[in-house]
Amino acid sequence: MIDKRLHDHFSIVRESPLFKNYYQHVGYTSTPPVMEKHILRDVLEDQFDLQSETKGVYLVRSGGSTDKPLIFPVDIKENLYQRELLAKELIRYGMFNSKTIALNLFSYCDMYRSAGILDDILERCQATTIPLGSKSSFDFMHTTCIKFKPNMLIGTPSVLTLFAKYLSDNDLSVSVDNLMFAGEYVLESQVELFQKVFNTKCIYSLYGSAETGIWGWSTYTGNTTSFEILDDIIVEIENPDLEGNGTIIVTNLLRKRFPVFRYAMGDVGKLEYKNDKRFLVLKSRAPKSFSIEANSYFLNDFDELLDIVDRFQIQLSMISSVLTQLKFLVIKSDCKKEESHQIVQQVTDALHQTLDMNPAFLKLEVELVSESELYANPTTSKTPLIVDSRE
């Protein structure tokens, strides 16, 4: 039996033109299934028709597959209302205020909304935003810092790291007290670089997704990040371990026109309660997903590889503080020696259709291997589908 707020919202979800077919066989007294990204993408492809909408929508792209991106519609008024609630909390928290001058290095391209979203939230906090974006040249970023003297840098850790490396490599530095990141996990080596090059004193973070909006905020404290949560966001922890960590499931009660109910974020964490407040403590990505430079990928994104090979294992490691080496070890049991190069090329071509192949952040390798060459966990002897050895 689901709790009352979820129950009440489920009645709205079941009547939604987007989801009524999907949930028609789910009763009110049973717990509705978790909505995963690949299921949501299929529902949108089948049920959402932009031309049939009688009023405008806010379209936002979710990080991930470049071949089949998830483009999610949001009601404009509901979206702006959520940002207004968030802005009030960020002012109360002290992240942004009327004296904030933020150099915005998030993305403005290819239907990604992160930079525009932050511009709007900052302005709702009566702060000043300098809208450069991640595609600006590092020289222009530096020149802009000198001219306008921002007291906050905002962007993904990857882009902020590239900017910091540019300054360091050219014997340059800037003094910016505050930094805010979102979109991906930050490495301790990146934090050390920020503090050295940017002279950063305080680091903040925001949390959310294209499908659920931004609804969490925190101060970076090291290995774990504890996010405060908007009141109208329900967070559940699915299949928790002994420490309380499990899959993060989110329902946004503010989104009624295009609701996403019990949505799997692709992250692992736990809930804590302090002074009548909820806190989400992030631990890692879920075992069936990984992220590279704010793009999140799930195993289902690579289903088409099984039309080419019998099995695959994904291995991730860091070449540098921003460059990820992504190895796909593939097995084709009946492959003849003269066919191996063709198989590798077919897999590589398929991956180029799925992955964002920005060479600044990703180095891809495909190897045809035997079963014994796959990584096996030394404790369990199991062979995981994703092996992520990054920090």
Side-chain angles (χ1 to χ4, degrees):
M1 182 72 179
I2 59 178
D3 69 38
K4 188 177 187 308
R5 289 206 303 170
L6 279 174
H7 180 277
D8 293 345
H9 197 65
F10 187 45
S11 64
I12 296 173
V13 175
R14 284 194 56 171
E15 296 304 314
S16 164
L18 203 59
F19 295 107
K20 62 168 52 177
N21 290 340
Y22 180 75
Y23 289 113
Q24 61 181 333
H25 300 301
V26 180
Y28 281 102
T29 58
S30 58
T31 301
V34 170
M35 175 71 71
E36 296 186 342
K37 179 183 174 182
H38 69 284
I39 297 174
L40 178 57
R41 182 164 49 205
D42 290 344
V43 169
L44 289 168
E45 289 179 355
D46 291 341
Q47 303 297 327
F48 177 64
D49 179 13
L50 179 59
Q51 282 67 41
S52 68
E53 295 295 325
T54 58
K55 60 178 181 178
V57 301
Y58 181 89
L59 294 174
V60 58
R61 174 174 175 166
S62 176
S65 169
T66 57
D67 185 40
K68 295 196 303 182
L70 193 159
I71 308 296
F72 189 74
V74 184
D75 181 80
I76 295 171
K77 286 186 177 180
E78 291 175 357
N79 193 42
L80 295 178
Y81 181 57
Q82 180 171 339
R83 291 186 194 174
E84 186 65 27
L85 293 178
L86 178 65
K88 290 178 180 178
E89 293 294 339
L90 297 182
I91 292 171
R92 176 196 61 78
Y93 188 72
M95 187 180 298
F96 304 140
N97 57 51
S98 60
K99 295 294 186 180
T100 299
I101 303 173
L103 188 72
N104 189 344
L105 303 181
F106 281 105
S107 176
Y108 286 98
C109 67
D110 299 334
M111 292 189 74
Y112 288 111
R113 295 278 200 166
S114 52
I117 292 169
L118 265 297
D119 283 338
D120 185 44
I121 291 172
L122 283 160
E123 289 169 358
R124 290 173 185 273
C125 296
Q126 298 299 306
T128 299
T129 179
I130 305 173
L132 263 62
S134 60
K135 300 298 183 182
S136 296
S137 70
F138 298 129
D139 177 66
F140 188 56
M141 293 178 189
H142 176 244
T143 301
T144 304
C145 285
I146 299 303
K147 181 176 178 62
F148 291 105
K149 297 180 176 56
N151 52 26
M152 176 171 282
L153 297 176
I154 64 174
T156 62
S158 295
V159 171
L160 293 167
T161 298
L162 289 177
F163 180 34
K165 284 184 172 295
Y166 167 82
L167 295 177
S168 180
D169 291 346
N170 290 277
D171 294 323
L172 301 170
S173 65
V174 295
S175 184
V176 185
D177 287 344
N178 304 293
L179 181 147
M180 191 281 289
F181 72 89
E184 60 192 62
Y185 286 82
V186 69
L187 305 178
E188 187 60 35
S189 59
Q190 292 174 319
V191 171
E192 293 173 359
L193 182 66
F194 300 154
Q195 292 171 335
K196 176 182 178 182
V197 177
F198 300 140
N199 297 296
T200 301
K201 295 183 175 61
C202 190
I203 297 177
Y204 300 103
S205 183
L206 295 177
Y207 185 73
S209 69
E211 302 84 3
T212 62
I214 302 174
W215 45 265
W217 59 95
S218 71
T219 301
Y220 174 80
T221 55
N223 293 330
T224 59
T225 305
S226 181
F227 290 90
E228 293 191 39
I229 304 170
L230 277 180
D231 289 340
D232 292 292
I233 302 297
I234 295 178
V235 178
E236 303 172 81
I237 304 299
E238 188 87 350
N239 300 319
D241 61 18
L242 294 177
E243 296 179 350
N245 290 300
T247 304
I248 298 170
I249 309 299
V250 174
T251 298
N252 185 336
L253 301 179
L254 297 169
R255 298 196 170 181
K256 299 179 175 64
R257 182 180 172 192
F258 302 104
V260 179
F261 190 78
R262 305 198 73 230
Y263 185 67
M265 296 288 287
D267 286 324
V268 171
K270 63 181 179 180
L271 285 173
E272 293 182 347
Y273 299 87
K274 301 174 185 177
N275 301 322
D276 297 324
K277 291 183 179 180
R278 295 173 300 158
F279 294 86
L280 174 64
V281 182
L282 284 185
K283 180 181 179 183
S284 64
R285 291 293 299 180
K288 294 184 179 181
S289 69
F290 62 92
S291 62
I292 299 174
E293 208 281 302
N295 290 320
S296 298
Y297 301 97
F298 294 75
L299 282 176
N300 301 94
D301 291 325
F302 307 101
D303 282 348
E304 63 183 36
L305 293 186
L306 297 177
D307 295 332
I308 306 171
V309 298
D310 300 326
R311 189 179 177 190
F312 63 85
Q313 183 180 70
I314 301 169
Q315 297 184 357
L316 301 106
S317 59
M318 295 302 299
I319 296 175
S320 70
S321 55
V322 292
L323 182 59
T324 294
Q325 178 171 277
L326 177 57
K327 282 187 177 182
F328 272 77
L329 303 184
V330 298
I331 295 175
K332 181 72 171 175
S333 59
D334 59 350
C335 179
K336 299 176 182 178
K337 186 175 181 179
E338 59 270 21
E339 297 174 335
S340 59
H341 177 75
Q342 181 182 357
I343 294 295
V344 169
Q345 190 59 53
Q346 285 180 307
V347 172
T348 302
D349 292 343
L351 292 174
H352 275 266
Q353 295 298 314
T354 301
L355 297 162
D356 183 349
M357 296 301 298
N358 188 333
F361 303 115
L362 174 63
K363 180 182 179 182
L364 175 66
E365 292 185 16
V366 177
E367 296 180 18
L368 189 62
V369 301
S370 64
E371 187 79 26
S372 62
E373 293 176 89
L374 298 180
Y375 170 83
N377 186 292
T379 302
T380 64
S381 298
K382 292 183 178 180
T383 305
L385 293 175
I386 297 177
V387 181
D388 195 342
S389 61
R390 296 175 293 180
E391 294 181 30

